Amino acid sequence: MTTPSFDLGPDHLELRSWVHSFAADVIRPAAAEWDEREEFPWPVLEEAAKIGLYSLDFFATQSFDETGLGIPVTMEELFWGDAGIGLAIVGTALAAAGVSANGTPEQVGEWVPQMFGEPGDLRLGAFCSSEPDAGSDVGAMRTRATYDEATDEWVINGTKTWATNGGLADVHVVTAVVDPDLRARGQASFVVPPGTKGLSQGQKFHKHGIRASHTAEVVLDRVRVPGRCLLGGKEKLDARLARAREGTRAGGNASMATFERTRPAVGAQAVGIARAAYEVALDYARTREQFGRPIIENQAIAFALADMKTAIDSARLLVWRAAWMASQGKTFEAAEGSMSKLVAGETAVKVTGQAMQILGGNGFTREYPVERMARDAKIYTIFEGTSEIQRLVIARAISGAQIR
């Protein structure tokens, strides 16, 4: 077991510098263009793949970092560059986490490499959980998976929504109901391999922020996948369902297992956005003059910047704590993962708003990046569990009560 430390070691400092350089030199110059185009930034992803930043090896190495800090450090720097492009680079990691959280070692070895590809032959993964009538309420999921024993295949029907890389991806990880009577406890995750008939992209969403990231519906019409595509295997699923029917603890929900693993990483993304906006506001306040002096000499501006910096550092510490706990296999007794995502997401929204205020009219224009950062920040109080859901998870954890 490693001892937590607030000092990054040489390896993490080198990692941070490397990713920061890519974010500064490649991502930032392209950010405004791809935000305006609202298209997936394939050329930027190709550059990331060329240096090994978009690769299975990179994400696997950081995931196995015994301190847990490799992924948060990477996320913060990428999203300091730009959230939309950052999400395009790391969106596949959510699907990979879905396989890693619920699959067997053999399934991880088979499917995760197919989500990344290599330079010149890039691949994507998509994690498909939310539905038009089942976002925060995972128990309302309607996508069904039925086992065809004669062919050893699962037949999946339904529509997923808000899927990052949905329809664009080569490998889709789909959660579905296998026993409707058990609601959330009767769900499982499946891999839908590349080229599977019946899977198609539905509506592509035109979003308020993170516009370089592809978000769409995924339609599954009599999609047939081999039995080996059930993550975890049928024997494990049958045993879990049997426990659920008997009223005993059945084990984790497939979607929630993935989200719990990724919440500190999502929090780190929000920290990156907040830090970027704070730095723009700080530089602006030092150089912008009103009434014959830099506006940073006014208490109202200086105190706002002090609050912004304090909030960002506080959020980062919560993210690092949760990431370290996860790396050590510690249980989130007080929902520390949800705490990190909640505080970081709320901080990103508040700090980017304050940055716009400090820049005044300039902050409201696209000549300065804080306008885009503010649009990007808002999603962090909504996706992968709204702020309200995070508070619910935390409240249940600390009280032991079934709060609704």
Side-chain angles (χ1 to χ4, degrees):
M1 179 179 295
T2 61
T3 302
S5 173
F6 300 128
D7 291 325
L8 295 177
D11 290 344
H12 288 121
L13 290 173
E14 183 179 354
L15 169 68
R16 185 174 68 181
S17 177
W18 179 62
V19 179
H20 183 83
S21 294
F22 182 82
D25 298 340
V26 180
I27 293 177
R28 279 205 166 179
E33 175 189 351
W34 291 100
D35 177 73
E36 288 286 345
R37 292 174 62 168
E38 293 193 63
E39 296 175 0
F40 190 87
W42 287 108
V44 182
L45 193 70
E46 184 69 35
E47 293 302 312
K50 287 178 181 177
I51 67 168
L53 181 55
Y54 182 74
S55 69
L56 171 58
D57 287 346
F58 175 77
F59 283 101
T61 298
Q62 302 313 319
S63 296
F64 287 113
D65 175 6
E66 63 178 8
T67 70
L69 298 184
I71 290 294
V73 166
T74 298
M75 295 293 183
E76 181 175 336
E77 297 307 320
L78 283 176
F79 285 70
W80 171 90
D82 178 67
I85 293 177
L87 197 57
I89 293 173
V90 306
T92 290
L94 180 59
V99 176
S100 299
N102 301 296
T104 65
E106 292 76 17
Q107 289 171 325
V108 173
E110 178 178 5
W111 298 114
V112 175
Q114 295 188 49
M115 296 181 183
F116 289 91
E118 56 189 24
D121 184 25
L122 299 179
R123 307 292 176 88
L124 299 175
F127 184 73
C128 308
S129 177
S130 293
E131 298 184 3
D133 297 317
S136 298
D137 182 9
V138 295
M141 188 178 294
R142 295 182 180 179
T143 298
R144 298 286 187 263
T146 305
Y147 184 59
D148 185 343
E149 190 170 355
T151 60
D152 184 28
E153 291 179 315
W154 288 89
V155 184
I156 309 174
N157 287 282
T159 299
K160 295 295 182 179
T161 194
W162 310 121
T164 299
N165 296 340
L168 199 64
D170 299 273
V171 179
H172 291 75
V173 179
V174 176
T175 55
V177 177
V178 295
D179 188 333
D181 293 336
L182 297 176
R183 288 179 58 79
R185 294 180 299 165
Q187 298 173 6
S189 289
F190 301 85
V191 169
V192 181
T196 300
K197 293 181 180 180
L199 184 146
S200 62
Q201 178 183 310
Q203 174 188 3
K204 176 185 174 180
F205 295 104
H206 297 280
K207 306 184 297 293
H208 177 66
I210 56 169
R211 294 179 359 179
S213 173
H214 177 89
T215 310
E217 290 183 332
V218 174
V219 179
L220 302 115
D221 181 14
R222 291 173 290 180
V223 169
R224 285 182 168 268
V225 299
R228 64 185 175 83
C229 290
L230 166 65
L231 292 178
K234 195 167 187 306
E235 183 177 341
K236 182 178 178 180
L237 172 65
D238 289 342
R240 177 165 63 82
L241 295 178
R243 292 195 300 272
R245 295 185 190 106
E246 293 168 359
T248 57
R249 187 171 179 83
N253 172 271
S255 297
M256 293 302 100
T258 301
F259 291 142
E260 281 301 315
R261 289 170 64 95
T262 59
R263 275 174 180 155
V266 174
Q269 297 171 10
V271 170
I273 299 169
R275 191 185 107 215
Y278 158 76
E279 290 176 1
V280 172
L282 178 61
D283 288 343
Y284 185 88
R286 284 170 170 163
T287 57
R288 173 69 167 172
E289 291 190 0
Q290 290 285 278
F291 305 105
R293 62 180 182 177
I295 63 174
I296 199 169
E297 293 182 15
N298 297 315
Q299 273 194 8
I301 301 298
F303 283 10
L305 288 163
D307 287 343
M308 293 158 72
K309 174 63 172 171
T310 301
I312 292 165
D313 283 10
S314 299
R316 183 185 296 111
L317 288 173
L318 283 173
V319 166
W320 283 14
R321 179 184 69 166
W324 176 81
M325 289 178 66
S327 73
Q328 302 303 304
K330 292 182 176 293
T331 303
F332 290 162
E333 298 288 352
E336 288 85 354
S338 290
M339 284 184 188
S340 70
K341 196 268 184 181
L342 169 65
V343 172
E346 297 282 336
T347 296
V349 170
K350 184 175 181 180
V351 167
T352 55
Q354 288 174 313
M356 288 183 68
Q357 192 71 20
I358 289 171
L359 269 67
N362 286 325
F364 201 65
T365 71
R366 296 187 184 182
E367 297 300 315
Y368 288 81
V370 292
E371 174 271 339
R372 185 180 69 251
M373 294 168 182
R375 286 189 285 109
D376 291 341
K378 183 55 189 172
I379 194 63
Y380 286 86
T381 66
I382 299 173
F383 75 173
E384 293 212 38
T386 64
S387 290
E388 291 77 14
I389 287 296
Q390 307 304 330
R391 292 185 174 96
L392 181 64
V393 172
I394 296 165
R396 286 176 175 175
I398 63 176
S399 69
Q402 193 60 24
I403 299 167
R404 298 186 181 278

